[in-house]
Amino acid sequence: MIRVRRLVSILALSSILAIAGCAKKAPAAAPAPPPPPPPAAPAPPPPPPPPPPPPPAPAPAPPALSDEDIFARKSVDQLNSERPLQDVFFDLDRADVRDDARPLLQKDADWLKKWGSVQVTLEGHGDSRGSAEYNLGLGSRRASAVKEYLASLGVPTTRVVVVSKGKEQPFCNEENESCWQQNRRGHFVITGK
């Protein structure tokens, strides 16, 4: 009986211990390690370098020159070589302005009025026939007739000087009518601007 009692006591004691929670507990399971972080997204590629700055704008073209600027840059010699004033021709032994010369003199007058500072010498020429004295007088009358016609078109007479060359400075040296015709003229020379 003692054995039985002992056995009962042991059993009772074990039940009490089990109930009281004195029994040795199994170690609690370790918490699961946290999941690994998601893999980092690959770093974006560096941005491309900025484009090079645009080349500097070309310098603007200089403004177009006005007629006045172009005229101001020309010398008297350049103007004479361009021959902006047309010569007029005369009939044999005549000093009156011919009908075919009037449109030319209108253009000459318009040019002279546009360039109001221009001074001209108007040379009167004759052909090789007749005396030197006669041709000097005829050349003077021819140049004066052209000057008067220009004045009637509005060109101030103070800008035109008349000179007679007679037959002393021919443009053509042959002895025929086509050559003589070239020598009977009123010829413009620009002398100032």
Side-chain angles (χ1 to χ4, degrees):
M1 210 151 306
I2 290 187
R3 276 185 160 175
V4 169
R5 265 196 235 176
R6 221 182 216 187
L7 189 54
V8 168
S9 302
I10 291 177
L11 281 173
L13 187 54
S14 358
S15 318
I16 292 176
L17 286 174
I19 292 174
C22 286
K24 196 174 188 187
K25 291 187 180 179
L65 295 176
S66 67
D67 288 346
E68 289 77 14
D69 293 333
I70 293 169
F71 181 80
R73 292 179 180 201
K74 292 181 181 180
S75 69
V76 169
D77 289 338
Q78 286 173 313
L79 289 173
N80 279 314
S81 70
E82 291 174 3
R83 302 198 54 175
L85 300 171
Q86 299 296 309
D87 291 350
V88 293
F89 298 94
F90 293 88
D91 292 328
L92 177 64
D93 292 330
R94 303 295 305 256
D96 50 326
V97 175
R98 298 187 329 196
D99 288 342
D100 65 342
R102 294 176 192 279
L104 295 174
L105 289 173
Q106 179 65 59
K107 289 180 184 177
D108 291 345
D110 292 344
W111 190 89
L112 287 166
K113 288 187 281 186
K114 180 177 182 178
W115 308 112
S117 62
V118 171
Q119 303 288 320
V120 296
T121 294
L122 188 51
E123 298 176 347
H125 292 265
D127 63 30
S128 62
R129 297 174 289 180
S131 70
E133 188 175 319
Y134 172 79
N135 278 303
L136 281 173
L138 184 58
S140 179
R141 290 190 303 277
R142 287 175 174 164
S144 294
V146 173
K147 178 179 180 176
E148 290 171 17
Y149 191 78
L150 289 173
S152 75
L153 297 174
V155 177
T157 57
T158 56
R159 296 175 50 205
V160 182
V161 174
V162 171
V163 173
S164 178
K165 297 293 183 175
K167 64 179 186 177
E168 304 308 315
Q169 294 180 4
F171 287 87
C172 179
N173 290 314
E174 296 175 18
E175 292 295 320
N176 58 51
E177 183 55 40
S178 66
C179 186
W180 293 326
Q181 173 59 46
Q182 293 176 51
N183 291 333
R184 298 189 303 257
R185 65 176 9 165
H187 176 68
F188 289 93
V189 178
I190 299 169
T191 57
K193 56 177 238 168

